[in-house]
Amino acid sequence: MRPRVTVAPLNRSLDQELAALLRGVSLECLVCGEFVLHVRGALACPECMSILAESEEKIAAIALPSVVQAG
């Protein structure tokens, strides 16, 4: 008879997820799950357009590529 294996659930708080994202351990957008880009000292998601930055000035300096495509 094989021993019973249990899987421990991995639940992270929002604070832990943000810390992992800022440290570079995680590259996953907290909003949509896509990969984030490092742009001018901030983290930006090209899919949902969310931006994580230290100040509003950094956010204003970032121009994310448009997801609109020509016909």
Side-chain angles (χ1 to χ4, degrees):
M1 184 183 305
R2 295 185 345 191
R4 201 167 184 187
V5 176
T6 59
V7 177
L10 177 62
N11 294 325
R12 290 186 178 176
S13 69
L14 181 57
D15 291 337
Q16 291 171 326
E17 291 289 342
L18 283 171
L21 190 60
L22 291 174
R23 284 193 329 256
V25 176
S26 173
L27 297 175
E28 183 179 334
C29 176
L30 298 177
V31 177
C32 68
E34 293 295 323
F35 287 109
V36 295
L37 303 172
H38 292 268
V39 181
R40 296 185 186 173
L43 297 171
C45 178
E47 184 67 28
C48 69
M49 303 297 186
S50 63
I51 300 173
L52 180 62
E54 295 174 2
S55 65
E56 290 186 24
E57 291 81 24
K58 283 188 179 183
I59 293 173
I62 298 172
L64 291 175
S66 174
V67 293
V68 178
Q69 295 180 354

